[in-house]
Amino acid sequence: MTLVRTLLLRLMTTAVTLFGVAVIVFFVIRVVPGNPVAMMLPPGATAEDVARLTALYGLDKSIPQQFVIWGAGVLHGDFGTSITLRQPVLALVLGRLPATLELSVLALVMAVLMGGAAALTGTRLRETRVEGGIDVANGMALSVPDFLWGLVLILVFGVLLPVFQISGRVTPSLHLPFVTNFYLVESLVRLRFDLTRDLLAHMFLPAFALAIPLAAIIGQLLKQSLKETMHLDYVTLARTQGYSEARVIWREALPNAILPTLTLVGVQFTFLIGGTVIIERLFSYEGLGNMAIDAVINRDLPLIQGIVILFAVIFTGVNLVVDLTYAALNPRLRHG
Amino acid sequence: MSFLEVRDLSVRLKGGGPLLRNVSLTVAAGEVRGLVGESGAGKSMIGKAILGILPRSVEISSGAIVLDGTDLLTLPPAMRRQRVGATCALIPQDPLTALNPSRRIGPQITDRLVDILGWKRAEAEARARALLHEVQIADPDRVLRQYPHELSGGMRQRILIASAFAAEPRLIVADEPTTALDVTVQKQILKLIAGLQARHGTALLFVTHDLGVVSKVCQSLSVLYSGKVVEDTDVARFFAGPAHPYSAALLAATPKYTDPTAGLNPVPEAVIAAVRAEVENG
């Protein structure tokens, strides 16, 4: 009952958020310099040509009028047509979404595994040199942004030690039997592990670059909470019962210490998705982010709007999932 | 022979001063020994040393902790942990923080029986129910499914007591088990511990600063001052007339609620100076 109410409330606030995002994006990209029509026509086009094309895309009307027309379309599921690609925006954006989702989730999994391992090891071996080493590694990982990690990885693994692919999503010469754009998931479902391998070889470096800063944040915060939890009475009590240090950390401390980290991971995951825009460009990965940069360069207004709205939907979705997980893990919230 | 024998145990801060100085005490099977002293005298430290849960900042510098004929301090850590887990238990001071907030009560009692002592899950659950019944919890089945935050402090301490007795340990360290509780609840809990101890014949090391509690549940007691045992005696003799001047002063300082006009008698400065000199030079 409370869950249904919470969900309804969240859906309403989400709707308001999305409306706000739509308004801001719509107006901002029309106010900044740069005209899509001018980008499309060859130099020396007549004023008449410009006017015709402007009218064709509805850009001759006032901005509020354009917004109403576009908004009415959106409510019917029509996000307009891309100016440069001449295809419906919704289909384009949804076509690219799986690539970005797979990359982000892979990066998240890597970050959780790396950060979790660092935190657990650091807690188990606290106040030793190993913990010191983990702290130094965390500090280094945090002080370099993801796109610089991307460049470093390209240099190291693409040039010096070429074991991973540094460009694209999949080797272009491969024949892909896929019906959806979730290549990685589908390759697993179809048991085509040769393709899984090729996809992972392509995705590993961009995902790793995205994961490094998040892994460091997870490692640092989780280790901090774990160490604080290790002083609590119920942990001490478990020790007197004969449990080993490792089991005490895993069973008693972790479920409680993980809660603050979980909230942070939710917030940071949205940053990670934001980071895909640059990282996808860097690794020529055919996802939403790469498409977003092209759309901005070409002043493809409907496409930019569609992509930004989709990113906003993803962000609010991630936050909702985090809140629900938090409630599931914390019994005090569940009954409250 | 005593079940527990602590011999000349010294504990100090790593790179710092002593916290326990050559402490010796014994607890026979089924005996209830009180361990009294002011805050900071080191009484909890002894219990922690026995159970192997000393803070990382302190270390044992010398001595022996002989449990059932084996010196725990000579055992490798894993074996020591297992032996303590199988034969000893702790009733902690603060019931509000001693239960894991994210786990149900049931597993918190039964898990160690299954994981450490190799019981069957069903046996352990039956045992938990029986013990909750024994600590006078009316609806054990419901409580086993609840989370700690749904229960009062008194209830939680009952659960912790039940849990301590669950594996039929030979020795229980009760670390000021009533200090964090309401005065009205204190009495019930004390009665409960004494009752269970008598029925199960468990040896009990009862850490407290309350001589009134000692007179009710203990047979023998050790008086601690600044990390040193200044008197080791049985309860009847102690209350008849303590041998050590510090013990005498401590006893005189216990408020007597029978005479409302009597003031408080703090331990005189001269006695403190004398005992301090004795502890630090001895």
Side-chain angles (χ1 to χ4, degrees), chain A residues 170-179 183 190 192 195 198-199:
Chain A
V170 66
T171 305
S173 56
L174 284 175
H175 173 70
L176 301 175
F178 300 143
V179 293
Y183 290 175
R190 288 173 186 267
R192 285 291 304 274
L195 294 178
D198 185 72
L199 285 163

Side-chain angles (χ1 to χ4, degrees), chain B residues 12 28-29 42 53 93 110-111 155 164 166 185 190 206 213 255 266 276:
Chain B
R12 64 171 176 227
I53 49 171
Q93 176 167 9
T110 55
D111 272 1
M155 280 288 266
V185 184
L190 210 57
F206 204 104
V213 169
R276 184 171 296 151

Side-chain angles (χ1 to χ4, degrees), chain A residues 212-282:
Chain A
I212 290 173
L214 182 55
I217 293 172
I218 293 175
Q220 222 167 37
L221 184 73
L222 184 59
K223 178 159 75 68
Q224 190 57 35
S225 325
L226 275 172
K227 283 174 72 177
E228 280 163 22
T229 312
M230 291 309 283
H231 293 296
L232 298 181
D233 289 348
Y234 57 85
V235 174
T236 307
L237 192 64
R239 280 205 193 98
T240 69
Q241 297 178 341
Y243 286 104
S244 69
E245 187 72 7
R247 278 184 88 173
V248 167
I249 294 173
W250 183 258
R251 284 169 40 116
E252 303 289 332
L254 188 61
N256 294 294
I258 210 165
L259 292 173
T261 309
L262 187 72
T263 320
L264 188 89
V265 167
V267 177
Q268 292 291 330
F269 184 50
T270 54
F271 283 124
L272 186 151
I273 294 172
T276 58
V277 173
I278 306 237
I279 290 289
E280 284 181 3
R281 193 65 172 185
L282 208 55

Side-chain angles (χ1 to χ4, degrees), chain A residues 97-113:
Chain A
L97 175 66
T100 297
L101 279 185
E102 284 189 341
L103 183 66
S104 310
V105 170
L106 182 66
L108 178 68
V109 169
M110 286 166 73
V112 168
L113 290 179

